[in-house]
Amino acid sequence: MGNDIRNQLLNLIHHKLQRLAIHENEIGDSFDLVRTGLLNSLEFVDLVASLEKMNETEIDFESALEAGDFTTMGGVVKAFEKGR
């Protein structure tokens, strides 16, 4: 499932990555979607909402944020793996 979430996430941010000339193979688990400036906080919430809808699940934002890495690629994947 982790790869599914990762692929969905990459598809959702593909246009932003292209605009900034960032290749998907450069995006590791520690890539922070917000701190790098790729997404602002509202865009991040929208991204998570889209992933929730695609996967018919709901993420507990408070718990995910407490983990400290929720805004990273790996953190998003981990949050969705926990939500299953």
Side-chain angles (χ1 to χ4, degrees):
M1 174 174 153
N3 281 338
D4 292 342
I5 296 295
R6 182 178 173 77
N7 290 334
Q8 290 171 352
L9 202 161
L10 287 171
N11 285 333
L12 290 169
I13 63 171
H14 179 74
H15 66 282
K16 287 203 172 260
L17 293 173
Q18 269 190 323
R19 196 171 333 136
L20 297 174
I22 300 171
H23 298 289
E24 290 180 5
N25 61 356
E26 298 176 58
I27 308 294
D29 284 347
S30 63
F31 185 87
D32 196 302
L33 300 161
V34 176
R35 289 190 179 127
T36 60
L38 185 72
L39 302 174
N40 64 38
S41 57
L42 182 58
E43 291 170 324
F44 181 76
V45 170
D46 287 342
L47 174 77
V48 172
S50 294
L51 288 169
E52 287 175 328
K53 187 174 183 178
M54 292 168 78
N55 292 283
E56 299 177 351
T57 190
E58 192 171 313
I59 298 302
D60 179 356
F61 262 79
E62 189 174 327
S63 295
L65 287 170
E66 286 175 2
D69 65 349
F70 184 43
T71 59
T72 66
M73 287 290 288
V76 172
V77 171
K78 184 171 51 174
F80 275 89
E81 287 175 341
K82 275 185 171 180
R84 286 270 172 174

